[in-house]
Amino acid sequence: MLLILISQQVFPQLRGVITDSLTNEPLMYISVFYKGKGAGTISNTKGEYMIETRRDWNELTFSAIGYRVKVVRIDPGMKFLNIKMSPTDIMLSEVVVRPQRNRYSRKNNPAVDFMRKVIGRKSQHTLEGKDYYRYDKYQKMKASLNDVSPEELEKGIFKKMPFMKDQIEISPESRKMILPLSIQETASEVMYRKSPENRKTIIKGRRSHGIDELFSTGDMMGTVLNDIFADINIYDNDIRLLQERFVSPVSGSSAISFYKYYLMDTVMVDKYECVHLVFVPRNAQEFGFTGHLYVVNDSTYAVKKCRMNLPKNTGVNFVERLDIIQEFERLSDGSWVLTDDDMVVDLSLIDIARGAQVRRTTRYSNYSFEPLEADFFKKKGNVTKDIRAQSKTDDFWAKVRQAPLTGSEKEMDSLVDKFHEISGFNFVMIGLKALVEDYIETGSRKTPGKFDIGPINTFISGNYIDGTRLRAGGQTTAQFNPNWFFKGYAAYGFRDRKWKYEGAVTYAFDKREFFLHEFPRHNLSARYRFDVMSPMDKFLTTDKDNVFIAWKVSTVDQMSYVRDIELEYELETMNGFSVRTTLRHRNDEPAGKLQYLRNDAGATPVHDITTAEWGVALSYSPGQTYMNTKQRRRPVTLDAPVYTVSHTAGFKGVMDGDYTFNLTEAGIWRRIWLSSWGKADVTLKAGVQWNKAPFPLLILPAANLSYIAQKETFNLINNMEFLNDRYASFSLTYDMNGKLFNRIPLLKKLKWREVFRFRTLWGKLSDKNNPYKNSGDGDLFLFPTRDGETTGFVMDPKKPYMEVSAGIYNIFKLLHIEYVRRLNYLENPNTKKYGVRFMIIMTF
């Protein structure tokens, strides 16, 4: 009996996870053993190992081809031991990976020579080289709280949520406990034709469950996640990820100069013999990856598998860990195609707050390169959605789902139900929604709100005319009516003691699911407004009553009471083209220190002017996607170019219109990515006022008078400082994304990033609109003055206005500070030679 008990003795177990010291990815098939004891094991596909411990067995050996043998002393009673293993050809320092003995050189380097062959043949492995292709795609996106524990879920606010413990899972990569809170699934079919080139994505099924259902933001979370954690094509020169650009390890333009490559060994991956390479960026803080490439060891030089991570000292914000694994398969015709694309990202906004994990699982299948019928490509838009995509049955998902749901993912719907059963939860959600969406909802889960109150940031503000200004407003939602939408506000100024107000009604020809501004728009709107406005308000990208915008660099005391009646029709197409036509009747009464004085002998005051206008605006932004919020929609990618052209005509004698005028404007905005050197935003605009007109109808520069930086505006031009009837402007913003600061030893630790801007304005005022050259012409107005001093000027056509700025952003991962310098026209009264602008901006 004693012998039986001894033979069945269970020894204590030591366990842990083995990871690559460069990439932090789990390492499989690592030998773990006690030298000379005849006891050992190997790590599994997740890098996990488990081995027994015995008294006097105090040294454990870790060994694998391509990695340094590591011998670790273990202490009695040790239960957990995580190991990092270094590749044999390289060693780690805190900042840069260097060869152990020799300085890295691209010359006569077998790894570099091999990678040149991989890069030289990558065009043979891109799908766009085919005349046609189609495939099915399934994607699952899961968002979770990261690094939770059952003990934490019994404290604080979690005491009321005992059901949360049943949702906990173990992250396979980090072995940390996670709490899934949201899951989105999409099943789609992708088709491509090379000539004429066209690519279509048909979304056949889409559904989401979890906390994003608590917000009335449509598919905002899904849109943002899909853009931030976008699909990756390793054969692209630049990989779009986290709304930035990362240099691909097989980039044809910059990979060889950006990365260091090391040949490790030849290994078998599935049934293919592959060459194993490790790559690391020369500067860890630049936007690149560390990782492993497994390239088929034959004349195709095809990538069989790729594993990528962010370097330990990466300059990327908020990302603690990023793992990307891609696997490729060879089809019967010899083509290599992507089949598995997995990404796991651990995020942390601030160190003291709970982090999050986002997992994207993508599977590609049913590839075909047969010719496709032309009818497939006649549908409008690059992405279309099946009208029943949101209501697919469980049977449908069982067929298309290529990555099974976990237990917690299956229970996501019941999780939301349990949240709502908690006392006080709905009140917390009202406050949270108000913070996120800037509107206060008036409904509940069972009876969704038909009216939202807001925007909250406009409730109190101020200006020179109003003094302190209080405002209350709101808008209806699609729950009120999916076609008819109403919005408006009322505001009161305590200085002028006047009420201002606006009311608008819009009919959407296509039913809206959540918001009026959902893409594509097809609307007819009518609006009536009486309010006080600055001439510069039309250049703002936010509401003029935003309390933060009210903080001005200098007092804006030349304003107008404006009374508008508008009728507008807008049509957008799926390919990014839009047309908007507007009928407007406007009455403009100067206020504050603004006066309209005729250019006659007596400088006759003009109480107000009236215009009857018709305008048409065309815009083209191919490939643009949008994120919807309650207040407005925002472009997501900012990669799509924007082309605009508009014309506004005024009619004298029509509806009491005082003037005939014709104003034409055109503009181009384009973002240019420069790989590891950052990006440049370029804006070109031009316009002409063709007719004789007083200065309120001339062209004013887009001046920003607040301390908050505004896109595409001039920071140091005063209100109505230049009056033109011809203009052209150019703006260049160069964001180096830390390229300079990353090379300065002290600054690189701060992860600051640099940005530079140059803006210039060429303007001309023709003689017919210049009051100084038309003395006594009462059809023109004298230029604006303040306390007897002229504040509006004619530009010298041979001397364009210029300003430059240099900024630092990513200060505390949040703050943008910019120093602005005005280069000329410094002789104009009340000009500022320099200034400082701020912005709160969070970016990866």
Side-chain angles (χ1 to χ4, degrees):
M1 177 64 71
L2 181 60
L3 291 174
I4 295 175
L5 289 175
I6 292 174
S7 66
Q8 291 182 346
Q9 179 180 356
V10 178
F11 293 98
Q13 302 290 311
L14 176 67
R15 66 183 65 199
V17 179
I18 307 171
T19 56
D20 187 294
S21 62
L22 289 180
T23 66
N24 293 318
E25 68 178 60
L27 296 178
M28 55 185 175
Y29 310 136
I30 302 294
S31 297
V32 185
F33 58 92
Y34 294 98
K35 191 172 183 179
K37 305 296 183 182
T41 185
I42 61 172
S43 60
N44 63 18
T45 56
K46 298 176 182 178
E48 301 165 331
Y49 74 94
M50 183 170 65
I51 192 169
E52 64 186 38
T53 61
R54 298 188 186 185
R55 184 178 300 176
D56 299 329
W57 290 14
N58 52 20
E59 283 190 345
L60 195 59
T61 301
F62 298 81
S63 174
I65 296 175
Y67 288 88
R68 284 202 187 90
V69 175
K70 191 162 191 173
V71 180
V72 180
R73 184 175 182 83
I74 59 175
D75 299 323
M78 184 180 289
K79 295 181 179 180
F80 297 97
L81 178 63
N82 292 334
I83 295 295
K84 290 184 179 292
M85 298 192 67
S86 299
T88 54
D89 290 349
I90 49 182
M91 68 177 186
L92 285 176
S93 71
E94 271 302 303
V95 180
V96 184
V97 179
R98 297 186 178 93
Q100 186 173 6
R101 296 179 180 176
N102 300 319
R103 181 182 180 87
Y104 182 89
S105 172
R106 296 196 298 266
K107 188 176 181 180
N108 299 322
N109 187 327
V112 172
D113 293 339
F114 186 84
M115 280 306 302
R116 292 189 192 277
K117 295 176 182 178
V118 175
I119 293 170
R121 287 166 175 77
K122 71 175 188 173
S123 61
Q124 301 174 12
H125 307 303
T126 57
L127 289 178
E128 283 67 28
K130 307 288 186 180
D131 291 334
Y132 296 90
Y133 67 73
R134 71 154 302 282
Y135 57 79
D136 293 327
K137 175 184 173 185
Y138 167 79
Q139 187 169 91
K140 178 173 67 174
M141 191 85 71
K142 178 167 72 174
S144 311
L145 282 181
N146 197 16
D147 198 14
V148 299
S149 67
E151 293 75 20
E152 287 179 300
L153 297 182
E154 296 177 355
K155 301 176 182 178
I157 62 172
F158 294 111
K159 281 186 177 180
K160 297 182 178 181
M161 309 176 191
F163 54 87
M164 298 283 274
K165 289 187 290 185
D166 298 330
Q167 287 290 115
I168 289 180
E169 295 180 359
I170 303 295
S171 171
E173 292 76 22
S174 65
R175 307 308 299 166
K176 294 179 181 179
M177 293 184 178
I178 61 173
L179 182 64
L181 295 176
S182 172
I183 178 175
Q184 292 142 18
E185 294 182 283
T186 305
S188 55
E189 179 183 12
V190 179
M191 294 175 288
Y192 172 83
R193 179 184 63 194
K194 188 174 184 178
S195 182
E197 188 171 19
N198 201 327
R199 190 178 191 270
K200 299 288 184 184
T201 299
I202 302 174
I203 298 175
K204 294 185 174 182
R206 175 178 286 169
R207 69 177 183 178
S208 67
H209 304 284
I211 61 170
D212 50 319
E213 296 179 27
L214 302 175
F215 295 88
S216 302
T217 52
D219 194 29
M220 183 179 79
M221 180 176 287
T223 301
V224 173
L225 290 178
N226 284 318
D227 182 70
I228 294 176
F229 308 106
D231 296 334
I232 287 174
N233 183 354
I234 193 175
Y235 288 114
D236 285 340
N237 288 336
D238 293 324
I239 292 176
R240 185 173 172 273
L241 179 65
L242 305 175
Q243 296 183 322
E244 298 287 354
R245 288 294 187 276
F246 293 76
V247 178
S248 168
V250 292
S251 168
S253 59
S254 54
I256 298 299
S257 60
F258 186 86
Y259 287 104
K260 297 179 180 180
Y261 296 94
Y262 301 92
L263 280 172
M264 306 304 295
D265 206 343
T266 55
V267 296
M268 296 300 296
V269 181
D270 295 335
K271 58 183 179 181
Y272 297 94
E273 182 183 80
C274 295
V275 176
H276 176 201
L277 297 100
V278 168
F279 55 90
V280 294
R282 289 175 170 270
N283 187 325
Q285 284 194 244
E286 293 189 355
F287 281 47
F289 302 99
T290 62
H292 299 254
L293 284 176
Y294 299 88
V295 180
V296 178
N297 193 16
D298 62 19
S299 60
T300 65
Y301 291 91
V303 175
K304 168 60 181 166
K305 186 175 182 178
C306 174
R307 306 189 71 157
M308 298 190 295
N309 313 83
L310 290 182
K312 179 181 178 181
N313 296 311
T314 178
V316 179
N317 293 324
F318 313 123
V319 178
E320 291 187 341
R321 175 190 179 121
L322 181 144
D323 298 304
I324 299 170
I325 301 177
Q326 291 193 325
E327 296 191 23
F328 299 78
E329 292 292 340
R330 186 176 183 176
L331 301 182
S332 58
D333 68 349
S335 300
W336 283 92
V337 295
L338 178 64
T339 56
D340 295 13
D341 182 11
D342 296 334
M343 180 189 302
V344 182
V345 186
D346 288 350
L347 302 169
S348 178
L349 191 63
I350 54 176
D351 293 338
I352 61 174
R354 175 68 56 213
Q357 182 183 95
V358 176
R359 177 183 296 273
R360 174 177 61 71
T361 304
T362 310
R363 298 291 180 265
Y364 301 89
S365 61
N366 300 325
Y367 282 90
S368 172
F369 305 116
E370 297 297 322
L372 298 169
E373 295 182 12
D375 290 344
F376 287 134
F377 301 97
K378 291 181 180 179
K379 295 181 180 180
K380 296 179 179 180
N382 295 327
V383 179
T384 58
K385 186 166 67 172
D386 188 302
I387 59 174
R388 295 179 295 276
Q390 303 286 146
S391 57
K392 293 295 185 179
T393 64
D394 291 339
D395 290 339
F396 168 84
W397 288 107
K399 292 178 182 178
V400 302
R401 185 181 292 125
Q402 300 179 48
L405 298 181
T406 64
S408 0
E409 291 169 356
K410 294 176 182 177
E411 297 298 320
M412 203 65 70
D413 283 338
S414 63
L415 175 67
V416 176
D417 293 335
K418 292 173 182 176
F419 276 137
H420 283 281
E421 294 172 1
I422 300 173
S423 175
F425 176 78
N426 290 331
F427 292 102
V428 174
M429 284 306 303
I430 290 174
L432 187 59
K433 289 179 180 180
L435 180 65
V436 172
E437 300 173 342
D438 205 27
Y439 273 85
I440 301 172
E441 293 186 359
T442 58
S444 64
R445 188 190 184 199
K446 294 183 178 179
T447 56
K450 298 181 179 180
F451 186 81
D452 295 332
I453 301 171
I456 297 172
N457 62 19
T458 65
F459 283 176
I460 182 169
S461 61
N463 59 63
Y464 182 81
I465 303 298
D466 281 310
T468 300
R469 174 184 171 105
L470 299 182
R471 169 174 152 174
Q475 62 187 14
T476 63
T477 71
Q479 293 295 327
F480 174 80
N481 191 288
N483 295 100
W484 289 96
F485 292 83
F486 300 85
K487 68 180 299 184
Y489 66 81
Y492 184 77
F494 285 86
R495 177 176 294 170
D496 65 353
R497 298 183 180 181
K498 287 186 178 183
W499 283 96
K500 293 86 180 175
Y501 42 83
E502 178 182 319
V505 56
T506 300
Y507 178 76
F509 291 91
D510 301 319
K511 289 185 177 181
R512 306 285 84 178
E513 188 174 1
F514 296 96
F515 306 108
L516 172 64
H517 41 261
E518 291 170 9
F519 180 83
R521 294 188 289 212
H522 186 196
N523 303 330
L524 181 64
S525 305
R527 180 175 72 165
Y528 184 88
R529 175 178 62 181
F530 172 69
D531 207 341
V532 61
M533 297 186 67
S534 158
M536 300 297 109
D537 286 345
K538 64 181 179 181
F539 300 117
L540 295 175
T541 56
T542 184
D543 196 299
K544 72 179 185 67
D545 290 334
N546 186 317
V547 64
F548 301 104
I549 298 298
W551 185 31
K552 304 292 187 183
V553 175
S554 57
T555 301
V556 181
D557 51 16
Q558 295 170 312
M559 305 180 75
S560 296
Y561 288 110
V562 175
R563 191 179 301 272
D564 281 340
I565 303 174
E566 288 184 0
L567 182 66
E568 181 177 276
Y569 172 78
E570 182 177 18
L571 173 66
E572 289 181 327
T573 65
M574 294 295 293
N575 62 5
F577 177 79
S578 70
V579 57
R580 185 177 71 252
T581 183
T582 306
L583 294 174
R584 178 187 295 118
H585 182 274
R586 167 168 290 186
N587 180 262
D588 182 337
E589 178 186 342
K593 295 188 177 181
L594 179 64
Q595 291 180 296
Y596 294 164
L597 303 175
R598 294 195 182 277
N599 185 37
D600 55 20
T604 306
V606 178
H607 181 267
D608 60 82
I609 62 174
T610 299
T611 58
E613 308 172 14
W614 171 77
V616 60
L618 306 178
S619 176
Y620 182 54
S621 183
Q624 184 61 275
T625 57
Y626 299 94
M627 176 187 71
N628 292 317
T629 66
K630 287 183 178 293
Q631 195 166 0
R632 61 179 59 84
R633 71 180 187 189
R634 303 177 186 275
V636 175
T637 63
L638 294 179
D639 289 339
V642 181
Y643 306 94
T644 59
V645 61
S646 64
H647 184 81
T648 303
F651 303 94
K652 184 176 182 178
V654 177
M655 300 178 64
D656 298 322
D658 295 328
Y659 299 96
T660 294
F661 63 88
N662 286 275
L663 172 63
T664 304
E665 293 186 280
I668 300 173
W669 182 90
R670 182 74 187 237
R671 170 163 290 177
I672 303 170
W673 287 93
L674 304 171
S675 193
S676 66
W677 288 88
K679 58 183 178 287
D681 292 342
V682 179
T683 305
L684 288 169
K685 292 184 178 179
V688 179
Q689 170 62 271
W690 302 96
N691 296 88
K692 181 178 180 179
F695 80 80
L697 301 179
L698 298 180
I699 301 172
L700 306 179
N704 174 28
L705 304 175
S706 76
Y707 281 100
I708 307 301
Q710 291 280 320
K711 181 181 177 182
E712 299 175 29
T713 58
F714 294 93
N715 289 294
L716 295 176
I717 291 182
N718 290 326
N719 185 27
M720 297 190 293
E721 180 177 354
F722 298 118
L723 302 168
N724 304 305
D725 58 16
R726 308 281 192 279
Y727 87 97
S729 67
F730 171 77
S731 172
L732 173 64
T733 299
Y734 179 31
D735 179 355
M736 296 190 71
N737 208 20
K739 190 74 172 180
L740 293 180
F741 289 162
N742 287 343
R743 283 160 170 76
I744 302 175
L746 295 179
L747 287 180
K748 67 188 302 181
K749 294 183 179 180
L750 299 174
K751 296 185 178 181
W752 289 356
R753 302 173 190 172
E754 59 285 299
V755 61
F756 304 95
R757 305 187 201 274
F758 171 74
R759 298 184 177 97
T760 184
L761 170 71
W762 173 87
K764 179 183 179 181
L765 185 66
S766 58
D767 291 347
K768 67 176 180 291
N769 285 318
N770 189 337
Y772 299 116
K773 296 187 177 183
N774 294 273
S775 179
D777 187 346
D779 290 335
L780 300 179
F781 293 173
L782 297 175
F783 279 1
T785 60
R786 178 187 295 109
D787 300 327
E789 185 177 48
T790 300
T791 58
F793 303 94
V794 178
M795 295 188 70
D796 182 350
K798 297 180 180 180
K799 181 182 175 183
Y801 169 87
M802 292 181 289
E803 66 180 36
V804 295
S805 63
I808 300 174
Y809 71 101
N810 206 41
I811 302 173
F812 309 119
K813 301 181 182 181
L814 186 70
L815 182 62
H816 173 120
I817 300 178
E818 191 168 326
Y819 172 80
V820 189
R821 180 83 176 206
R822 177 167 170 160
L823 300 182
N824 54 5
Y825 288 98
L826 300 174
E827 66 278 5
N828 290 351
N830 301 314
T831 59
K832 290 182 172 60
K833 190 175 182 178
Y834 59 86
V836 178
R837 299 294 179 267
F838 305 90
M839 186 185 301
I840 301 299
I841 181 172
M842 297 177 67
T843 178
F844 286 100

